[in-house]
């Protein structure tokens, strides 16, 4: 029996999960990041702990959570911390290996905009803002970005507003951040990667059937390609089975 | 030792402690959002409030739509992950029906403002904001040079935020005794700091309990009586958010809010029916109906008791 | 999710995590003092330690007398209200048998150093020290000018303390699971901050419990597993201090310490008999005898359970 | 039946209790301050709450506590707070009306020494140090000092070391403290008082049988006398009965 072909959500979740190999702590929002972390826990990162910005550590949810503060994350958790402790001692304290962030716009240095489209004072669209994103960027050892849509408006030469700056911008402002900033961007076209300060995001891998030119055309800056560009290994049947049967059997997020 | 009875009705508490022009903090991170208090502020027609709330969500959109708010201080303006806040976007994007002054932070920036306010500090340092555009649109985000050498031996700079001291902080909790010793379990958020930062504090609870209940587990008291001015018993007052162990989150209502709030007429009708059209939160609860509440019932998962010990 | 087993014996934990020359924080404010860990450090003959402890009391005097300590960082050097620390006074007042480097703070100064260490801050502001002679003898107490106007519109200054980041922090707690989720009730002191400030942490507990016990009440977890490197089960390891709900304080021993420690020979004999003369804390406990422990037994005062709720 | 004459401890406790009239929160150590606060609660300050630096608020002890962290203060208390909250939000936050402090030396401005006798670097006697005293002085609205012994070595023109400075010293250092500093010093000879910044301690009251000259002779600085010097009203039978029968029936501190 062959598994059904992977959906876009499944593909992104599987690819993100693989990138979490051997990591210990991940700061994840609800949706694809949770799916990725849960799958990684079952596969490449058995010691992985998901920390939620609401204050939950070591959750053992009875149901797939609908928010980062879902009651099912609390009941049976190993610890529920006050927010000053979570943000101060856990996140700023340097205990998070990987933080997942989303954004409306990203630039080649991995700077992120989640505040406004247009001018902040008279925005065309008011977005939610930082939440904890600015802190995750400044304090997690590295940041993974999962963005379904890969187009030049989202992957832009110039952000309308920088909500969560990578280390290069921080250093220019005289502030030394703890981590490397965005190191992986996982999209429907492939994976962009950078290692740290002074490095641009480069195309590291494409999904099967996608060419480097496709990705360059979808990116708003002149995207460089890694020397060892690879093709993403499609989700295995084992990965898909875990995702479909154990992680999200009701397909809450696997739309 | 203090045993002053601070219980009052929501109507009394809002009338006594929230005035036109006040700075009002409403806290509760996803859990225990003081919605019923927001609705009573709307019913009493407060104007020109500065509202402080980390996650400006449905209750803030409702207070905006009711014309109570002239300024918002926040770190996240959105309807959780369930969509947009229609009124907030109209106010910010097109000044309809009136402009909204907006002071923007990140979550930890807001947390640190509360801590600084609670601890009476002139500023609080945090490792956020370096290279961000936020300091360009918020002049309260400033830098301080550390008087100690940095990791490389040179000088080190860090951003700081100023304290916030609301005129009143309102929080929702599971239970309190009559004098205001307040117990919260599950997510405790930043409620303690928001209360200590404020000049006055109103605690809204699912139930007022005997002092003996509180005193059987003093570590569970997140806010002691000396920091509380009013205790309001208001069951289900956190709807559509949840109260751990009391009722679950009304996710359907969250999902419906984008459509309600996108259409100003529909939003006005919603307020007329559910807020202005109900005398108090008990009526709002009754109007939703028992069948509705049955859908949010939670089962039991009791904590194991611990022994505090008794001298023999 | 993490379920790494971090349990080990006290001997293994001290051997693995405390080295000559290390900076070692031992915290516990009157309650849950990690005495057994201090004794094992003495048994293993550690030298040249910098000991950080807010209330330097009997266990510090013992470590000083055993020659383990070259520097002390503290905010209170005394045997509670029960008298003096003989060895500490000899070291400080007359450099016998060796001088002791002493860095002095106030309680809140120490607390703020731990907070700054835990939160990775370059400094932490506090409204202490203005006009005190402490900054004259401790150059780490410095001033910062606030970037915001003061109450009178002018500039405002405030003292700050630097972070502390011990090589290892050791705390005692009532219970933990095997992976290090640690629960404390009663006085929780500054244990969480001291653990988060440290590069490594050893948690000594009255009992190692199943994960299910911890997870029945996640708000009780003061230190989560990710901050813990070793879990040591050591019942009665806080004697002569107390463990709320487990055993009471040995006030008689506190009162006796002034006389023991005042006489160096008597102190040396005490260490020989009770620390060097016992193989581990289990022997120390047995040597005190069941009749002795009967005198410290406490009765029951159970917390009332709360409902965390379960989705139906 | 006439009550036995008041002992020195009883006298000091009763006088200190009266000074707590109408106060709401007191930061008290164990011993005479606890006795005074407990008696005040039963008489002149029914709403009084004792806050302990260990973190206890609203204690209902089953036995008279032996330390500020006694297990009997915890069981049945209204709240037990972590120390950062107690010192940061409660004390520094400005919630304490009256703090009780002791000291080895006090000067005319109410500055206190609890650190050393002699030079700090080579002390004749090493004392416990600040503990929380520096914070209590800086942040309580006012400070009461109870000192049994009233002699020129303790009431000194010049402290060997200033552990806990009053507001005058703080202001000279460019720091504005919250409270008035020491406003009452209660000794076996009488009561010294000052109201706040710029004021010296003056002799406000003497115990029966003590003259102003006696107090001046026992004080190491030129002690000024208040215009309205009074004689302390001796403990009433009602006060003594409460103290002896309700507050400390086993005479743990009423030595």
């Amino acid at each position: 029996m062959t598994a059904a072909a992977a959906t876009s959500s499944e593909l992104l979740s599987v690819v993100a999960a693989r990138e979490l190999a051997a990591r210990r702590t991940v700061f994840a929002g609800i949706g694809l990041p949770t799916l990725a972390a849960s799958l990684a826990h079952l596969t490449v990162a058995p010691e992985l702990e998901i920390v939620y910005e609401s204050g939950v550590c070591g959750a053992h949810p009875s149901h797939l959570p609908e928010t980062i503060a879902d009651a099912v994350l609390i009941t049976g958790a190993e610890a529920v911390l006050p927010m000053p402790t979570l943000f101060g001692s856990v996140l700023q304290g340097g205990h998070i290996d990987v933080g997942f962030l989303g954004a409306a716009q990203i630039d080649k240095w991995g700077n992120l905009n989640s505040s406004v489209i247009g001018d902040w004072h008279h925005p065309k669209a008011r977005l939610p803002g930082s939440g904890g994103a600015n802190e995750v960027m400044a304090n997690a050892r590295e940041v993974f970005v999962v963005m379904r849509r890969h187009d030049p408006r989202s992957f832009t030469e110039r952000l309308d507003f920088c909500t969560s700056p990578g280390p290069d911008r921080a250093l220019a402002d005289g502030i030394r951040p703890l981590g490397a900033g965005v190191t992986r961007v996982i999209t429907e076209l492939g994976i962009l990667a950078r290692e740290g300060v002074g490095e641009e995001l480069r195309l590291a891998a494409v999904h099967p059937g996608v060419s480097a030119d496709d990705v360059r055309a979808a990116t708003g800056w002149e995207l460089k390609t890694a020397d060892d560009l690879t093709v993403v290994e499609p989700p295995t049947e084992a990965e898909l089975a875990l995702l479909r049967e154990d992680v999200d059997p009701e397909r809450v997020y696997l739309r | 030792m203090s045993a002053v009875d601070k219980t009052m009705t929501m109507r009394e508490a809002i009338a006594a402690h929230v005035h036109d022009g006040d700075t009002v903090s409403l806290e509760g991170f996803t859990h225990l959002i003081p919605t019923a208090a927001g609705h009573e502020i709307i019913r009493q027609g407060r104007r020109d409030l500065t509202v402080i709330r980390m996650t400006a969500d449905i209750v803030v959109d409702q207070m905006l739509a009711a014309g109570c708010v002239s300024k918002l201080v926040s770190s996240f303006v959105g309807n959780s992950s369930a969509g947009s806040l229609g009124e907030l976007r109209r106010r910010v994007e097109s000044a309809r029906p009136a402009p909204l002054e907006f002071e923007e932070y990140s979550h930890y920036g807001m947390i640190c403002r509360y801590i600084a306010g609670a601890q009476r500090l002139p500023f609080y340092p945090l490792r956020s904001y370096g290279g961000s555009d936020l300091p360009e649109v918020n002049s309260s985000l400033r830098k301080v040079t550390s008087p100690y050498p940095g990791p490389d031996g040179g000088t080190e700079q860090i951003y700081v935020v100023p304290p916030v001291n609301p005129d009143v902080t309102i929080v929702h909790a599971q239970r309190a005794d009559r004098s205001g010793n307040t117990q919260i379990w599950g997510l405790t958020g930043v409620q303690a700091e928001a209360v200590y930062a404020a000049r006055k504090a109103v605690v809204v609870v699912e139930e007022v309990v005997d002092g003996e209940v509180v005193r059987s587990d003093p570590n569970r008291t997140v806010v002691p009586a000396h920091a509380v001015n009013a205790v309001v018993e208001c069951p289900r007052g956190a709807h559509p958010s949840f109260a751990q162990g009391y009722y679950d989150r009304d996710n359907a209502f969250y999902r419906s809010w984008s459509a309600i709030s996108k259409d100003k007429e529909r939003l006005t009708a919603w307020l007329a029916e559910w807020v202005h059209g109900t005398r108090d939160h008990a009526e709002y609860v009754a109007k939703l109906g028992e069948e509705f509440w049955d859908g949010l019932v939670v089962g039991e998962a009791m904590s194991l008791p611990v022994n505090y010990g008794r001298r023999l």
Side-chain angles (χ1 to χ4, degrees), chain B residues 238-261:
Chain B
H239 174 265
S241 79
F242 67 109
Q244 192 82 35
Y246 285 76
Y247 47 89
D248 214 336
R249 192 170 188 261
D250 182 0
N251 290 311
F253 185 75
Y254 277 89
R255 283 191 291 269
S256 73
W257 187 254
S258 281
I260 295 172
S261 69

Side-chain angles (χ1 to χ4, degrees), chain A:
Chain A
M1 219 175 74
T2 310
T7 66
S8 163
S9 300
E10 288 170 345
L11 176 65
L12 294 172
S13 301
V14 166
V15 172
R18 291 174 186 163
E19 298 288 337
L20 289 171
R23 300 320 206 287
R24 289 198 319 153
T25 48
V26 56
F27 206 81
I30 292 298
L32 293 187
T34 312
L35 298 184
S38 301
L39 180 58
H41 176 59
L42 297 172
T43 54
V44 294
E47 293 183 22
L48 194 71
E49 179 192 8
I50 306 180
V51 175
Y52 295 92
E53 71 174 2
S54 56
V56 182
C57 301
H60 295 249
S62 59
H63 300 65
L64 200 68
E66 294 203 37
T67 74
I68 54 163
D70 194 313
V72 300
L73 291 170
I74 314 304
T75 303
E78 293 166 22
V80 176
L81 304 177
M83 288 187 86
T85 304
L86 198 283
F87 273 86
S89 298
V90 181
L91 179 54
Q92 189 173 279
H95 288 269
I96 302 299
D97 291 338
V98 178
F100 275 94
L101 291 177
Q105 294 180 325
I106 182 170
D107 71 12
K108 72 174 78 164
W109 303 105
N111 302 308
L112 303 178
N113 173 19
S114 58
S115 296
V116 287
I117 299 300
D119 175 53
W120 186 89
H121 295 92
H122 303 93
K124 270 180 245 163
R126 176 65 231 193
L127 310 173
S130 166
N134 184 283
E135 281 79 35
V136 170
M137 185 71 97
N139 298 303
R141 302 284 161 171
E142 40 183 330
V143 169
F144 288 5
V145 173
V146 179
M147 284 172 80
R148 262 169 216 274
R149 198 175 53 184
H150 193 142
D151 64 33
R153 292 203 319 178
S154 302
F155 288 72
T156 179
E157 178 72 31
R158 193 180 157 74
L159 304 178
D160 289 3
F161 186 90
C162 179
T163 314
S164 305
D168 295 281
R169 273 187 73 127
L171 286 166
D173 190 19
I175 303 290
R176 182 183 299 276
L178 185 64
V182 173
T183 57
R184 296 289 182 278
V185 184
I186 297 156
T187 81
E188 57 186 7
L189 298 182
I191 303 174
L192 313 191
R194 59 184 278 288
E195 293 310 310
V197 173
E199 274 194 43
E200 292 180 27
L201 285 164
R202 288 160 189 263
L203 180 59
V206 289
H207 292 304
V210 177
S211 73
D213 280 343
D214 293 339
V215 187
R216 278 193 285 269
T219 302
W221 70 82
E222 208 168 308
L223 179 65
K224 295 177 181 165
T225 301
D227 296 337
D228 52 348
L229 179 70
T230 58
V231 176
V232 173
E233 192 69 37
T236 65
E237 287 190 29
E239 285 167 329
L240 288 176
L242 284 170
L243 205 51
R244 292 167 180 175
E245 288 156 33
D246 291 4
V247 175
D248 187 8
E250 296 174 37
R251 300 193 78 77
V252 176
Y253 298 109
L254 286 175
R255 294 159 302 196

Side-chain angles (χ1 to χ4, degrees), chain B:
Chain B
M1 291 190 183
S2 63
V4 183
D5 189 337
K6 297 172 189 159
T7 57
M8 56 183 83
T9 65
M10 183 74 88
R11 190 173 302 140
E12 291 166 343
I14 299 301
H17 296 300
V18 181
H19 310 102
D20 288 357
D22 273 0
T23 296
V24 181
S25 162
L26 298 159
E27 282 302 344
F29 188 86
T30 311
H31 184 216
L32 298 172
I33 298 175
T35 315
H39 287 181
E40 183 59 24
I41 289 171
I42 293 173
R43 284 190 199 97
Q44 295 195 16
R46 287 293 172 282
R47 287 294 175 268
D48 199 26
L49 301 180
T50 293
V51 166
I52 308 184
R53 177 157 170 74
M54 286 177 61
T55 52
D57 43 17
I58 291 177
V59 68
V60 170
D61 213 31
Q62 294 169 345
M63 291 171 72
L64 288 170
C68 306
V69 184
S70 57
K71 180 175 177 183
L72 176 65
V73 181
S74 180
S75 47
F76 187 91
V77 293
N79 176 14
S80 179
S81 49
S84 272
L85 303 176
E87 183 72 10
L88 185 137
R89 290 191 61 174
R90 282 189 293 276
R91 295 278 298 262
V92 172
E93 293 171 6
S94 51
R96 276 187 298 152
L100 176 69
E101 195 182 343
F102 180 37
E103 199 175 313
E104 183 167 6
Y105 293 86
S106 59
H107 274 352
Y108 194 45
M110 289 288 288
I111 292 168
C112 292
R113 291 199 68 192
Y114 283 122
I115 298 173
Q119 299 183 357
R120 217 168 44 83
L121 289 172
F123 60 83
Y124 198 94
L126 73 171
R127 291 199 180 273
S128 305
Y129 302 129
S132 170
D133 283 335
L134 281 165
E136 277 182 35
V137 298
N138 182 348
S139 62
S140 288
L141 302 174
R142 300 187 185 173
K143 278 189 231 174
V144 159
T145 301
S146 170
Y148 307 105
D152 59 358
T155 60
E156 185 173 12
Q157 289 195 303
I158 188 163
Y159 273 93
V160 299
V161 290
V164 63
N165 292 109
D167 291 310
V168 59
T169 286
I170 306 175
V171 298
H172 194 95
Q174 279 106 336
R175 69 188 185 194
D177 65 21
R178 306 184 78 81
S179 59
N181 291 296
T182 304
Q183 300 197 321
I184 300 179
W185 55 99
L187 298 172
T188 57
V190 75
Q191 277 95 321
E193 291 73 16
V195 164
Y196 269 116
R199 283 176 251 282
K200 288 179 300 184
V202 175
V203 172
V204 185
V205 292
E206 290 297 319
E207 34 179 357
V208 170
V209 294
D210 282 348
E212 283 64 35
V213 174
V214 163
R215 290 172 45 212
S216 88
D217 201 353
N219 286 115
R220 197 88 72 192
T221 304
V222 169
V223 179
H226 63 235
V228 173
N229 299 83
V231 176
V232 174
E233 188 172 65
C234 181
R236 297 166 171 171
H239 174 265
S241 79
F242 67 109
Q244 192 82 35
Y246 285 76
Y247 47 89
D248 214 336
R249 192 170 188 261
D250 182 0
N251 290 311
F253 185 75
Y254 277 89
R255 283 191 291 269
S256 73
W257 187 254
S258 281
I260 295 172
S261 69
K262 193 171 183 176
D263 175 346
K264 179 70 189 219
E265 271 184 44
R266 202 174 151 196
L267 173 49
T268 304
W270 190 91
L271 285 175
E273 178 177 0
W274 290 95
V275 183
H276 296 297
T278 54
R279 224 163 41 110
D280 55 22
H281 195 71
E283 264 195 37
Y284 170 100
V285 167
K287 187 171 159 70
L288 281 163
E290 272 313 307
E291 199 178 335
F292 167 82
W293 289 106
D294 286 348
L296 300 182
V297 162
V298 298
E300 276 199 357
M302 305 305 286
S303 66
L304 294 172
V306 299
N307 185 17
Y308 275 90
R310 191 167 47 77
R311 186 156 295 157
L312 299 170

